[in-house]
Amino acid sequence: MGATGAKVRAGHRARGGSSRPAVLVFAIALLLHGVSWVEDRGDPFRTQPLGDALSYHLWAERLAARGLATEGVFHQAPLYPLMLGALYRWVPGGARLDALQAVQAVLTSAAIALLVPLGATYLGSKRAGVLGAVLALAHGPFLLYSLRLLPVPLALATLASAWCLLGLARERGACGWYLLAGFATGGAALVRNEMLLALPVAALAARPWQRAAWVVLGGALAIAPVSAHNLRRGDFVLIASAGGENFFIGNQRGATGGYTGLHPRAGDVFSERALAQRLAEQALGRSLEPSEVSAYWARRALEEIAADPLAWLRLEARKLARILHPGEPTEDYSFALERQRFHPSWRLLSLPPWSLLLLGAAGAWLAWTSHRRQAWPLLMLAGVQVGVLLLFFVNSRLRLSVLYLGAPLAGFAAEYAVHAWRKPRERWRAGAALALLGLASALSAILWRPSPRDHLRLAALLSSQGRLEEARDALAPALAFPRPDGLVLDQAGWIEQKAGRPREAAALYQRALQEGSPPLPAEREPSTRTRLAQVLERLGREEDAAAEHDRAAGSPHAHAGTFYERALFRLRRNDTPGALSDLQRAVALDPDWPEPRDLLSRLEASAR
């Protein structure tokens, strides 16, 4: 009993001593966010949400206007859009973005500050927590995702709060603390529903083991309102119904380890919901509830894995390689690009991913050998995060949770290296480890550069805003490669087409179709051929334009737009029967698109 009491008192002392540095870290993080906010005013990505960010924005607008009254079964974890919807409801439109960035700056700063007590609690070292917080602050992507309309700050803050409360519960042993820890873990799952996998870890960490029931009860209480909402909408889904779809997306044949659409016609994760349901219902021949759609795609994923297990193991290796990527494994936003063009202060916050990963791995080994009984819940939570990425898919945003949990472990390794350096007999080991770390970090820094796709994304954004000269400038580095990416050439052609330069556009489109390296994706080819046909028609080469329209329509990836554009071309050539046939194909492929549907109705009416 006395030994236990001594451990509790030691934990209290470590925690009490960690409060002052945690407050200092919080203040420094807020200051860095303030500098980033000032620089972000000139960043075109600031006011133009992309991909999932756009989906969250539209979802929050719907929640702000209608509340939950018309909201069906949740497709994604709802806590972030609910927070966003509340902000949209109470803050005027012009101030929303500033308010959101302020809230997210506080959340990220709090998460980084909580690394200090996490180090003290699970590693027995306040210094490890402080060094981990410093390393996390030096890794600029944490600041980048605080500025964007994405749930990263809320996910990190809830995750850190849950494990800090779990540490308190383990020290004090009171049922109430375990209830709070479970509730916080359930709250983290409402931001990212895969955090449900952390709830068993929190329950296992309870001591004595009888306290585990309180952890589970706390998690159930946090999740219950969302489950009740889903049940009232007619389906039993604990949090969200997209798990099966995401499992298929990450494990289908042809997957790359990153996000690969459910179907070539699919957009971002949110826009796939209707398509996923339609395809599942067509396959099963009946209407399905959201949980049944999820189950269908989960079965499909397991069938894909069983059909070629060796290919799936190779895919898992690619996912692991993406976790260990020295730069950024594909995302809508690029720290390397924004650091280069819009955020000069981030050059000081360019600690490479490999530095955190290598130090974190070393810290994990040291913690396991020296503080196993104390550290294992933190190590297991980090393992759960890695497992989630391997189970689904990997991108820069999702990898941040692994880097975040690796930060206190990295601080622990750094602290160990400092102590080893002070001992003459150990100095050579510390020196060798530091040399290896320095070499790996330097290599990572060299490789951490904007990719051609990053430049392409910026050019597409500027082009959509009518800033064509800036778009050309943004695309120039990607076009300077000996054999540019096919998508880069395609975007360059589109910029020239919008600028009224059809000859230059035609040449770029033809290069995209023939010379791109990597080549133009097959699903993009019909759109490029349609655009090429448009500029050829403008140049008076109507026969060549007709041939390109026909090649686009003959592609297995032809879509409604392909046939709609050929219909317009045929109408200009007075080929009304051909136009009618194309419009019928367009309407069949996309019944909800009004333009081809309305034009078809007018033509059929005039024919009668």
Side-chain angles (χ1 to χ4, degrees), residues 592-605:
D592 299 324
W593 189 11
E595 282 82 358
R597 189 180 64 235
D598 294 346
L599 181 55
L600 177 61
S601 297
R602 291 197 301 272
L603 287 178
E604 287 177 337

Side-chain angles (χ1 to χ4, degrees), residues 56-68 71 81-91 96:
Y56 281 118
H57 169 68
L58 297 174
W59 191 359
E61 282 193 329
R62 187 172 72 243
L63 288 169
R66 305 176 190 171
L68 288 171
E71 198 70 28
L82 286 170
M83 181 194 84
L84 202 57
L87 185 145
Y88 281 15
R89 176 173 291 184
W90 295 107
V91 178
R96 283 178 179 176

